Structures are given as structure tokens and as C-alpha cells.
Amino acid sequence: MSTSTPPQKTLSRIAANRLQKELSEWQINPPAGFKHRVTDNLQRWIIEVNGAPGTLYSCEQYQLQVDFPENYPMEAPQVIFIQQPPCHPHIYSNGHICLDILYDSWSPAMTVSSICISILSMLSSATQKARPPDNDRYVRNCRNGRSPKETRWWFHDDKV
Amino acid sequence: MKLHVEGSGSSQAMMQDPELSSHQSQPQQVSEDSQAPPSTTGADGGSFDCNICLELAQDPVVTLCGHLFCWPCLYRWLQVHSICQECPVCKASVEEEKVIPLYGRGKVGSVDPRTKAVPGMNIPHRPAGQRPDTARHADQHYQHHGFNFMAGPGGPATARFGNITLSAGFGLFPSLFGFQLHGFPETTGLGGTSGIHFGTSGPGSQSSHIHTSPPVVPDQQQEALLSRLLLLLGCFVIVCLLLF
């Protein structure tokens, strides 16, 4: 489980404005099943996720930690599960998520809200609760608190 | 009239005019404070927000796939993501030179967009619009007339009878004129040669259109002379047609 702080620089003015905007939009219209835990830290959001009803994760609650880089949204935020990560074929036991939009396929038109919806969709489409096959090896390699953004991900499953 | 700014994070203001208070007045954006997020998040706004910074687009450009961005936002993304230049919204390929700038009306003279410095990056001026030629509607107007002729001082005159176009050039010596006969209707070139263009749709109704400057107004005598000359030419043509 990694709650380590990535090497953070303070947000640029553009990033701060954009996050301010996202936060106020979230407050008006939060994505269904998510709750933003109010803090005074704009650069790190803690979001509670409720498993969608009718899926393997219904009535389960998880926590996402979203850390924003200095030049957000040109660069993707770092999104990981903290506390007890859900058991899912694309979620490692250290909370790292194998999801292309968080890395290679990131686009500045995406928002925290759209990331949350993608993650919930990924959870909901699971057919079995299992860890990724290479979980142990990967977690061992990340022991020094490496960010998932430094991982060279290989995205192979297009069904989630 | 009094403007009232509500809340701390909101830059919307409602008209507080007692005369206007009976009906719903339009919210007006007043503050341009960059720190406070503009409240275009309601059900009404957002259509003209940049897809990257989520604010009302500054120096707006639109991609060929129709997605709106601030030019600095899009430029920065295309630099960051230079391996594969694609639209942040729909992933269609985007070429820097092919984005379309939007030229609205407002905010003239606030800050020259070229002088706005972005720290750490030099944003060039957004590409210019691709401007098609001006629509030409002058020629179409005159094709409705069955008979017209144009004459200028010393210039060529063209007369059209149905689908026969007759051109006559006369200069200082009106007796020495040549004429041409065309079998097909031809749009007369208006540029440069004629000062006055007469369009006649029937006997008794005559309209005149002035085309180029300076306008030359012929007197009645010249007009009568021209019409007589034209009648003569017409007769001559008919005779020619009958003989040959």
C-alpha cells in the first residue's frame, strides 16, 4: 500500500485555476457513487468510491488518492487506491491501477470526474475478483515508493 | 441600476433594476478576475468554454473536428504531445496550421494577445483564418435583363439581343466603328471599362446602375445618339443575317 508523496512541486497558476474550476463543478454535479473528502489541499484529492449496485463491488467502499502534477492538465494526475484496494484483475495490491487513460492515453480534456467514471466502469465490468497475475513481482519492484506513472504499462485488455 | 456580485467564488451579477426585476433578467458576467472561476458552470453556460482550461476560451480556436480551445492551451498540448498530435477531446488528428481561429466581436483593445507572455513557453500567434474569395454577386444581377448595353467614353459598347451579343467599339470617330457578332450569351466583363451600365427590361422602363468611380452621367443627347446608333446596328445585323 503506497501513500507516499510523489515529488511535488506547487501547482502552476493554470493548474490551480483549472482544479478550482473542477472542484466547483464537482460540488454542483458530483459523479454518481463518488464523494470528495473536503480538505484544504487542492493538490491532493481523497475520493470515496462506492461500488456500483449489481456488480461484484456493490456495497463496498474504497478510497482513491489523486495527486496533481505542477503542469496539470498537460500531465495526468497520479491516481491510486489507498487503504484497502479493491481486488480486481487490473488493480495491484499496492493500489496502482492499470488503466491507459491514467498514463499513455491521458488527454487534458479529461477531468477528475471523468477519471472516476472510468475507474468505476472498470470495477463494474469485472467478472471475477482477482489480483493481476504479475501482482507480487510488480509490488516488489515498487517497494521504494515508485509512482505508477513511472511504470511502463502494457495495456492488453480492451474489455474493461 | 446597481450591480450586485453574489458570493465569493462567483462572478455572476444580476440586474437589480426595479424596472427589470419583474421579469427574469439575463445574468451578466462582470468580473474578469482570473483567480475566481467564472460561473459558466450552470445549465446555460459552458458551450464556449475551452476543453482544456474549462474557462471561457481566450484567443479561441476550433479544430477541424469542431472542438473549441484557447489557442495557448491547445498549442501547449500539441507541444507536450508532439509525437502524436491529436484532439484532446476526440483524438482526431490535429494540424497546427489547420485549426480555425474564431474572431468574435468583443473585448477590443483590452490586451494585445501577442504581448501576453506565458511563463516557460513562447506561444506563437494563432494561425490566421483561411479566407475564401469575396462572393461575386454583381454579374448575376445583370443576367436577368434580356437586353443591355454598356458604354463608356471611348470604350466598347456591348448590346445583347436574346442570345446574341453584339459588341461595338467606337472611339473619337464614331463613323469608323467595327462590330462583332457572338452566337452565345456571354457575361460582359464589367471591370475597368465601363462607367455606366444600363439595364433595360422592356420599353419604357429603364434602370441605370453606376458601377465604378468616378461616375459619368451622360446627357440626354448622348443617350439618344447611342440608342439611334444601336438601332442602326440592329438593322444592319438583320440585313446581314438576311443576306448571308
Side-chain angles (χ1 to χ4, degrees):
Chain A
M1 201 165 338
S2 166
T3 52
S4 67
T5 328
Q8 275 188 343
K9 281 187 183 174
T10 47
L11 295 170
S12 68
R13 189 186 54 82
I14 295 169
N17 280 349
R18 152 108 185 205
L19 279 173
Q20 223 24 286
K21 183 95 183 172
E22 278 196 56
L23 192 60
S24 55
E25 273 180 28
W26 179 294
Q27 280 155 359
I28 295 163
N29 185 25
F34 294 89
K35 195 170 172 292
H36 172 247
R37 199 198 287 160
V38 182
T39 56
D40 54 1
N41 188 357
L42 193 62
Q43 199 162 4
R44 171 174 283 182
W45 292 21
I46 306 292
I47 296 165
E48 284 173 11
V49 192
N50 285 298
T55 67
L56 290 176
Y57 303 91
S58 63
C59 303
E60 291 177 22
Q61 201 178 70
Y62 300 99
Q63 275 188 12
L64 280 172
Q65 177 183 282
V66 188
D67 285 293
F68 298 95
E70 178 201 9
N71 58 343
Y72 179 79
M74 292 301 146
E75 198 186 307
Q78 177 200 283
V79 186
I80 55 169
F81 277 101
I82 51 170
Q83 313 293 346
Q84 204 53 249
C87 196
H88 184 279
H90 299 321
I91 298 168
Y92 291 87
S93 58
N94 61 358
H96 290 194
I97 307 163
C98 178
L99 182 63
D100 63 346
I101 58 156
L102 299 177
Y103 314 106
D104 302 8
S105 300
W106 166 256
S107 134
M110 292 173 188
T111 60
V112 183
S113 187
S114 72
I115 292 171
C116 286
I117 291 164
S118 294
I119 289 172
L120 190 62
S121 156
M122 190 183 86
L123 284 177
S124 302
S125 59
T127 52
Q128 53 158 341
K129 281 186 172 185
R131 286 285 171 220
D134 60 339
N135 183 65
D136 292 347
R137 188 167 49 89
Y138 178 75
V139 173
R140 220 180 307 126
N141 286 338
C142 291
R143 213 176 281 159
N144 55 356
R146 202 172 69 173
S147 164
K149 288 169 79 179
E150 292 162 34
T151 307
R152 286 183 64 87
W153 294 96
W154 179 52
F155 307 106
H156 55 91
D157 188 357
D158 56 3
K159 289 187 287 296
V160 292
Chain B
M1 200 181 287
K2 187 181 121 196
L3 291 176
H4 169 71
V5 181
E6 344 170 279
S8 56
S10 168
S11 61
Q12 274 194 355
M14 302 292 284
M15 298 286 195
Q16 297 290 301
D17 197 321
E19 285 171 35
L20 294 171
S21 59
S22 55
H23 54 86
Q24 193 68 30
S25 58
Q26 283 285 318
Q28 272 197 341
Q29 206 166 315
V30 182
S31 158
E32 287 299 327
D33 186 4
S34 60
Q35 296 304 313
S39 51
T40 45
T41 48
D44 55 328
S47 300
F48 297 101
D49 287 352
C50 166
N51 277 292
I52 293 177
C53 68
L54 315 181
E55 309 270 352
L56 190 69
Q58 304 289 316
D59 292 345
V61 291
V62 89
T63 56
L64 290 181
C65 46
H67 294 110
L68 179 72
F69 303 94
C70 304
W71 168 242
C73 290
L74 183 67
Y75 179 79
R76 224 174 282 130
W77 171 245
L78 293 178
Q79 296 303 111
V80 168
H81 207 245
S82 53
I83 319 134
C84 175
Q85 302 215 315
E86 55 187 22
C87 172
V89 179
C90 72
K91 308 218 178 260
S93 71
V94 172
E95 283 173 66
E96 221 172 85
E97 317 79 52
K98 284 194 180 165
V99 299
I100 299 154
L102 298 183
Y103 302 125
R105 189 176 162 274
K107 291 221 292 188
V108 184
S110 51
V111 186
D112 189 338
R114 285 163 295 188
T115 62
K116 265 189 279 180
V118 179
M121 190 170 277
N122 216 354
I123 309 280
H125 202 44
R126 55 184 171 159
Q130 291 150 35
R131 189 171 178 273
D133 286 340
T134 322
R136 296 186 66 180
H137 45 77
D139 289 357
Q140 290 170 358
H141 179 72
Y142 294 105
Q143 282 177 357
H144 298 300
H145 298 288
F147 166 79
N148 60 21
F149 73 91
M150 61 176 198
T158 305
R160 186 184 289 173
F161 305 91
N163 62 350
I164 297 170
T165 307
L166 179 82
S167 305
F170 52 96
L172 287 169
F173 310 102
S175 56
L176 302 170
F177 64 85
F179 69 92
Q180 289 172 280
L181 203 66
H182 299 285
F184 301 101
E186 192 179 51
T187 312
T188 52
L190 298 174
T193 54
S194 74
I196 309 291
H197 193 101
F198 295 99
T200 320
S201 51
S205 73
Q206 194 181 51
S207 60
S208 73
H209 306 270
I210 294 165
H211 267 284
T212 55
S213 58
V216 182
V217 184
D219 53 16
Q220 289 289 319
Q221 209 178 0
Q222 198 181 352
E223 209 173 299
L225 180 77
L226 279 169
S227 39
R228 239 178 284 137
L229 193 73
L230 224 96
L231 191 69
L232 193 76
L233 279 171
C235 292
F236 191 66
V237 167
I238 290 163
V239 169
C240 284
L241 281 172
L242 285 174
L243 286 176
F244 307 110

